[in-house]
Amino acid sequence: MPEYYSSIGEAVGSAMQHNIRLADRSVASSSDKPLQVRHLPSASADPYSVRGMIARLTEDAAPNEVAGIVEEVNGALVGALPELTELVAAAADWTRARLTFDDPHHNPTFETWTRLAAAYGMLRDVQEQLEVAVDGIAACPAERTDPRHHERVNVLRTRELLDDVLGAEAIPPPSSVRSPEADRQRAARSSSPHAGSTPSTGSPPAAAPPPPASPPPVSRPAGRPR
């Protein structure tokens, strides 16, 4: 069953664990767990997945598009957030079936259930907050405001996804929109010593010599017809 890296930290941690297993010669090879193949879904492969919606939610997206993305995440039938809420609820119910109250001074299972129940309540609250926020997103201005206003509010997104780090199958911007990253790469290629350039002076390259002059006409012997 394929697994997913949700962050660059998880991917690095998994790679480190695998390298430690390979380097540990004292452990028999038969006891080493087989390395599981992990599938890295691309944002462009499924634009309606959470990873795809994150890629679509850029600062230049239209307000209605952003509101639609948040509404998709919070959708009652197939939204990712309700599914996550039900997953936490299922984990809490699983823990509930293993509760015992025989020892009133030590009950770690009940503490675990309490944490899962609290997480479930928080997720339900998040759903309610997003339902109200959708209308506010749609009413936001379409154009960016002066950057001096942005500095008064902290940036919230701090977790990097693998697509952010590796840039896997990034969706190219429209041709009418200039990409600073593409301009930077183009400038780097042009300034590279290996980049091809056309010299202004000097002889032409040996690989492309000038065409030879036409040979002089060959004189024919007298008396022979042409």
Side-chain angles (χ1 to χ4, degrees), residues 16-94:
M16 291 177 63
Q17 291 179 2
H18 176 57
N19 292 336
I20 292 173
R21 292 199 303 266
L22 294 179
D24 189 3
R25 301 300 181 182
S26 61
V27 180
S29 59
S30 58
S31 64
D32 190 15
K33 295 181 179 179
L35 180 63
Q36 295 181 347
V37 178
R38 293 178 178 262
H39 176 57
L40 304 178
S42 171
S44 60
D46 186 3
Y48 292 97
S49 65
V50 174
R51 187 180 300 269
M53 285 186 282
I54 292 175
R56 290 160 50 198
L57 208 161
T58 64
E59 292 186 353
D60 294 324
N64 289 335
E65 183 179 1
V66 178
I69 291 173
V70 175
E71 194 170 10
E72 291 169 5
V73 173
N74 206 31
L77 296 178
V78 295
L81 182 56
E83 289 182 353
L84 176 60
T85 305
E86 289 302 307
L87 185 148
V88 174
D93 292 342
W94 180 91

Side-chain angles (χ1 to χ4, degrees), residues 134-221:
V134 167
D135 294 336
I137 293 173
C140 285
E143 301 297 333
R144 298 189 192 184
T145 54
D146 194 316
R148 63 187 176 87
H149 300 293
H150 310 166
E151 299 174 356
R152 302 182 62 178
V153 180
N154 294 331
V155 176
L156 297 182
R157 187 184 175 192
T158 58
R159 187 179 186 184
E160 290 183 329
L161 301 177
L162 280 180
D163 280 353
D164 302 333
V165 178
L166 302 179
E169 297 185 21
I171 302 175
S175 57
S176 59
V177 179
R178 294 184 60 85
S179 172
E181 179 64 18
D183 294 341
R184 184 190 65 79
Q185 294 180 0
R186 190 180 304 108
R189 287 195 299 266
S190 61
S191 61
S192 173
H194 301 287
S197 60
T198 303
S200 58
T201 59
S203 59
S214 302
V218 179
S219 59
R220 298 178 179 272

